Amino acid sequence: MESVFVKKKDKVNVKYRQKAENKHLIKSLRRREELAGYLFIAPWIIGFVCLMLGPLLFSLYVSFTNYNITSSMEFTGFDNYKRMFTMDHLFWTSLWNTLYYVLFSVPVTTAGAILLAVLLNQRVPGMKWYRTLYYLPAVLSGVAVYLLWMQLLSPSTGLVNTALSWFGIDGPAWLYDPEWTKPALILMKLWSVGGGMLLYLASLQGVPKTMYEAAEIDGAGSLQKFFHITIPMITPVIFFDIVTSLIGGFQIFQEAYVMTENGDGGPVNSLLFYNLHMWNNAFELFNMGYASSMAWVLFVVVMILTMFNLKLGKKWVYYEGGDQK
Amino acid sequence: MKKWFTWALMAVLIISLFSGCSGSDEKKAEAKKTKDGKVVVDFWTFWGSETRRPIIEKIIDDYNASQDKVFVKHTFLPWGDIWTKNLAAIAAGNPPDVIINDINAVGHRAKNDQAENLSKYIKDDSFKENFYPELWKTVEYKGDPYAVPFNTDTRLLFYNKTAFKEAGLDPNKPPQTWEELESYAEKLDKKSGKKYDRIGFYPLWGSFGADSWMMNADNGQSYIDENGDVKIATKEKVKALNWIKGYNDRIGVEQVNAFKADFGSEQSNPFIAGKVAMMVDVATFYTQIRDYGKDMEFGVAPVPAVSEGEKNWSAGGGFVAEIPKGSNSPKEAYDFIKYLTGTEAQTYWAAQNFDNVANKEAAEKALSELKGTDKEVYQAAVDNMEVTKLFPVPVDAPDYQSKINPMIDAVLLGQRKASDALKDAQKSVEGSIQK
C-alpha cells in the first residue's frame, strides 16, 4: 500500500518535475538565445558606444572647456557659447553662408531631381541609356568632381561661360566673385541630382496606372495629372529627400575646402561654411573646446529644423496606407 | 534574470566606454630599442618625393653610421596628415621623437605644450649664432628655444629677359622700386584686342601676398610687432593696398580673374609659359624654370623696394626640427637635431636640394658646390636673407589672418576703401588679443 502510494506520489513528482524541468529548459534556452542575440549585436553596440556615444558625450563636455588637445582642459562654463554669439563675426558669416546654401540648394535640387525623374519616366527608345547617362555624375566622387568643376567654371575658358557666350551672355567669374561663389556651388550640386532622381523614378513607377486612367476618363490634362496625382503620390519620397538633403546641406564642407585657395573660405569669406569655420578652429587653431561647442550649436539648429520639417510634413505628405498621423 | 543581463551589459558598456576607448592614460612607455640594444629615435618628415627622400635618408644613414647607441628611424607621412597625426600622437602620449614642423607656429605649439623646451639640452650659448637671427627669433617662446631652424625660403623677383628685350627694356636692369616695377609692367603688357596675351606684372601672382607687399612698404613691419602691438592700419600699409588695387583698376578685376583662373590649377606656371613677364616667388622656383623652362632666359633680383632708399624687404618661411612633447628619448632626439642642423648635413641638403638652409655657414659652403645659373640664383637667395622677414603666428591671436584677409579681398574687389577696411581689421585683431 505504502509503496503504491509512494509510487503514485513519485509519478506525480516525476511528472511535476519534468514539467518544471521543461520550464527550466525553456527558460535557459531562451536565456541562451538572448545571450546569443546580445553577443551578435555586441560588435555594433561596443562600436557605437566607443566610437559614437563616447566621443559624442566627450565633445559635449569639451564644449564647456577650453580643451586644446594637448595642454588645457579647464571648465569655462558657457564662455565658448557666449563668444560664439557675441564676439565671433565669422560664426555669423559662416552660419549665413550655410543657410543661404541650404535654402537654395535643397529646393533647387529637389525640383531638379523630380523634373529629371519625370522626363526619364517617359517611354522613349533608348531610355535606359539616358537614365544611365543622367545617373552617372552621382557615381563620381568628391574631390575629382570639384576639380573638374573648377575648370568648367573658369571665367574665360571654362565650358560654362563659353556656353553662355553662345547666347550672348557674359558669364560671371563664378568662384572668384563673392556674389557668385555660392550660386556656382549650387549649380554644381544640381549636376549630380542623379541619386535623388533614382528614388523619384522608383516611386513614380509605383503610382498606379488606374488613377491616371480614371483621371483621363474624367478629362484631366497631363499637367493636371502631374499636380493632382503624381506629386501627391510621391510626397513621401519628396519628404524623405528634403529631410535628408537638408541635413546633408548643413554639413557642406569639402566643396569649400577644396575649391577655395588654401581652403580659407574663398573671396570675402563667401564660401566660409559653418563646418569649414569649425574645422579651422579645431585643426588649424586647436580650439577644440570652441569647435565642439560650434558642433553642438549646429546639431541643435539641424534638430530644430528637422523637427519643424516632421511637423510640417504631416500637413502635406500623403501616405497611401491610410492615417498615419 | 533579465535584470541580471541588463546590468551585466551595462557594466560591459560602461567599462568599454571608460577604459577601452580612452587609451590616453598616462603610460610613460620605455624608450623603444632595436634588437641590438640601440635607442630608437623616431623621426617624422613629409619628404617622400623621389628627390627629397634619398637626400634626407642619406643624412640619417650618415648619422646612424656614426652612432653605436642610437638608431634614427625615418617615418614618412604625407604633407596633409603629418601635423594632425603628430598632435594626436602627442595627446595619446606616444609622439615621435623628432618632427619637421612649420617655423611660423613654433610659439603657438610651445604655448600649447606640444613641443619640448630645448633650453635644458642647448648648453652652448653660441649655438644660436649658427643660424640666421630672423629664423632663430621664431623658435623662441618666452626666451626659451622650442625648436631648431632647419630650412627656410626667401622670395625674389623673377623676370623674363626675352620679354624685356621685346619691350625695349634693358634685360640687365630689373626694376628697383615699385614705381619702376609699375612702369615696366605697363611696357611688358601685350594685348590682342581686349584680351591680354601677356601681363607684365600682377603683384599677387607668385607667392608674395598682399600681407607681404604691405610689410615691404612698411619698412619690414608685419601686422603685429614684437611687443604684440597691432600695426595693420598704418599709413604705409593703406598705401600699399591701394597700390595693389591700382593693378586691379588698370587691368580690370575680370581680366585678372580670368587670367588667373586659367593658370590657377598649377598645371602650367604662367611665368614659365611666358604669360606673365615678372613674378615674385621663392628662390627654389628656379628649379622649376630650370627643369621645365627649356632654356628660358630669365633673371633674378631682390623684391623692389617701395621707394628709393628703402630696403628690398622680402618674406620667408621654413621648417624646424623639434621634439614633440612627451618623447621617450628627448636627449638622443636633441643630439640628432644637432646633427641635422649642423654644417655638414645642412650643406649636403642645400647643395643637393637647391634649398635655403637655416645654418649660415652651410649656406655659404653650399655655394662653392654649385656652378653657373644654379650658383647665381643661390647667391641671390643667400644675400636676400639679410632682408627676409618671417611672419610668426602671434600666440595671442593665431587666427588673425582670417580677420584681415576678407577685408583685403573686399578692398581689392572695390567694395571698400582701403583705409576703412584696414581700420576695421585692426580693431577686430586688437579685440581678439586679450592680454
Side-chain angles (χ1 to χ4, degrees), chain A residues 248-316:
Chain A
F250 272 100
Q251 291 170 354
I252 181 169
F253 167 75
Q254 279 184 17
E255 289 80 351
Y257 186 66
V258 173
M259 296 172 78
T260 66
E261 238 171 298
N262 308 321
D264 65 354
V268 206
N269 279 338
S270 57
L271 286 182
L272 185 77
F273 291 117
Y274 196 92
N275 278 357
L276 187 58
H277 186 39
M278 186 165 81
W279 190 90
N280 280 337
N281 263 302
F283 296 105
E284 296 278 303
L285 306 168
F286 313 130
N287 289 334
M288 275 298 166
Y290 186 65
S292 295
S293 53
M294 279 190 71
W296 280 91
V297 168
L298 182 68
F299 174 72
V300 170
V301 169
V302 174
M303 187 78 153
I304 290 171
L305 283 172
T306 307
M307 269 158 47
F308 180 72
N309 239 334
L310 289 172
K311 268 258 156 68
L312 207 68
K314 284 179 186 159
K315 295 215 185 316
W316 62 272

Side-chain angles (χ1 to χ4, degrees), chain A residues 12 26 31 38 86 135 150-151 203 205 224 252 280 322:
Chain A
V12 172
I26 287 169
R31 211 167 57 191
Y38 283 121
T86 57
Y135 181 67
M150 283 170 78
Q151 298 200 351
S203 73
Q205 292 181 342
Q224 276 169 315
I252 181 169
N280 280 337

Side-chain angles (χ1 to χ4, degrees), chain A residues 31 50 70 156-157 261 268-269, chain B residues 1 21 112 260 262 406 409:
Chain A
R31 211 167 57 191
C50 281
T70 43
S156 67
T157 54
E261 238 171 298
V268 206
N269 279 338
Chain B
M1 279 302 153
C21 321
N112 291 325
K260 183 188 173 190
D262 293 340
D409 286 348

Side-chain angles (χ1 to χ4, degrees), chain A residues 75-145:
Chain A
F75 194 77
T76 56
F78 282 92
D79 276 8
N80 285 332
Y81 294 92
K82 244 191 262 166
R83 188 177 128 206
M84 198 183 316
F85 289 110
T86 57
M87 282 166 60
D88 188 359
H89 302 297
L90 293 179
F91 166 76
W92 293 108
T93 313
S94 66
L95 191 62
W96 160 245
N97 284 340
T98 312
L99 273 174
Y100 179 111
Y101 171 77
V102 171
L103 221 61
F104 284 95
S105 76
V106 172
V108 166
T109 51
T110 307
I114 295 172
L115 192 73
L116 196 62
V118 170
L119 288 177
L120 292 176
N121 199 28
Q122 309 300 319
R123 286 186 194 188
V124 178
M127 187 45 88
K128 274 186 188 157
W129 288 102
Y130 288 118
R131 283 180 189 164
T132 314
L133 220 59
Y134 281 100
Y135 181 67
L136 219 51
V139 181
L140 302 172
S141 68
V143 177
V145 172

Side-chain angles (χ1 to χ4, degrees), chain A residues 31 34-35 45 49-50 54 68-71 87 90 151 154-157 176 178 261 266-269 285-286, chain B residues 1-2 5 13 16-17 21 87 90-91 108 112-114 257-258 260-262 267 398-399 402 406 409 413 415 434:
Chain A
R31 211 167 57 191
E34 237 169 44
L35 182 68
I45 290 194
V49 171
C50 281
N68 68 356
I69 308 179
T70 43
S71 64
M87 282 166 60
L90 293 179
Q151 298 200 351
S154 163
S156 67
T157 54
Y176 296 89
E261 238 171 298
V268 206
N269 279 338
L285 306 168
F286 313 130
Chain B
M1 279 302 153
K2 240 185 174 172
F5 261 120
L13 292 185
S16 60
L17 182 56
C21 321
L87 196 62
I90 294 168
H108 192 50
N112 291 325
D113 264 351
Q114 293 168 14
N257 285 334
K260 183 188 173 190
D262 293 340
Q267 285 157 340
D399 58 342
S402 68
D409 286 348
L413 288 164
Q415 297 174 346
Q434 288 159 329

Side-chain angles (χ1 to χ4, degrees), chain B residues 159-408:
Chain B
Y159 63 97
N160 186 333
K161 284 188 172 173
T162 317
F164 264 53
K165 282 180 214 156
E166 219 182 280
L169 293 164
D170 184 348
N172 292 317
K173 273 194 187 151
Q176 308 278 332
T177 60
W178 287 21
E179 208 176 304
E180 277 180 24
L181 187 62
E182 216 170 337
S183 77
Y184 281 33
E186 283 177 43
K187 284 182 192 144
L188 287 161
D189 281 345
K190 209 163 88 183
K191 282 169 110 172
S192 55
K194 259 176 105 182
K195 237 184 129 195
Y196 280 89
D197 292 330
R198 182 175 68 210
I199 288 184
F201 178 73
Y202 182 75
L204 301 181
W205 293 338
S207 62
F208 210 67
D211 52 347
S212 301
W213 286 110
M214 289 194 265
M215 175 276 291
N216 174 297
D218 204 359
N219 196 24
Q221 177 57 60
S222 58
Y223 290 140
I224 296 173
D225 75 6
E226 274 148 45
N227 306 321
D229 289 329
V230 182
K231 296 272 169 73
I232 296 173
T234 63
K235 212 171 57 199
E236 290 80 7
K237 288 202 174 75
V238 171
K239 211 177 113 190
L241 193 53
N242 277 325
W243 175 76
I244 299 172
K245 164 115 198 322
Y247 280 85
N248 277 359
D249 294 342
R250 183 168 63 81
I251 302 168
V253 177
E254 274 164 37
Q255 293 270 15
V256 170
N257 285 334
F259 215 76
K260 183 188 173 190
D262 293 340
F263 58 73
S265 52
E266 284 172 21
Q267 285 157 340
S268 55
N269 184 283
F271 182 77
I272 296 174
K275 301 203 90 186
V276 174
M278 298 184 284
M279 200 163 93
V280 177
D281 212 331
V282 287
T284 46
F285 172 57
Y286 157 68
T287 57
Q288 282 184 51
I289 304 179
R290 183 187 64 192
D291 300 341
Y292 305 107
K294 279 190 212 136
D295 303 322
M296 178 176 190
E297 271 193 80
F298 73 96
V300 288
V303 179
V306 63
S307 57
E308 227 164 308
E310 294 291 327
K311 280 198 180 181
N312 302 77
W313 293 112
S314 181
F319 298 100
V320 294
E322 71 185 20
I323 306 176
K325 190 87 179 178
S327 150
N328 296 320
S329 24
K331 232 179 94 191
E332 290 82 358
Y334 175 66
D335 191 63
F336 174 62
I337 290 182
K338 224 164 79 182
Y339 179 80
L340 199 62
T341 57
T343 314
E344 191 193 332
Q346 291 259 297
T347 310
Y348 184 73
W349 177 270
Q352 296 296 314
N353 250 334
F354 197 84
D355 199 16
N356 282 104
V357 284
N359 187 308
K360 284 191 285 189
E361 198 189 332
E364 299 287 345
K365 256 187 158 174
L367 262 175
S368 61
E369 292 183 21
L370 298 168
K371 280 192 221 88
T373 322
D374 285 12
K375 188 172 184 169
E376 200 184 302
V377 177
Y378 201 84
Q379 179 77 59
V382 170
D383 293 346
N384 215 43
M385 287 307 296
E386 245 341 81
V387 288
T388 300
K389 284 280 187 177
L390 266 70
F391 304 123
V393 175
V395 287
D396 296 314
D399 58 342
Y400 72 125
Q401 295 266 13
S402 68
K403 301 201 162 72
I404 307 168
N405 289 342
M407 300 290 179
I408 293 174

Side-chain angles (χ1 to χ4, degrees), chain B residues 43 47 52-60 74 340 349:
Chain B
F43 176 39
W47 293 315
R52 297 214 149 170
R53 190 166 197 152
I55 298 168
I56 189 66
E57 288 193 339
K58 162 89 170 45
I59 292 173
I60 295 168
H74 179 215
L340 199 62
W349 177 270

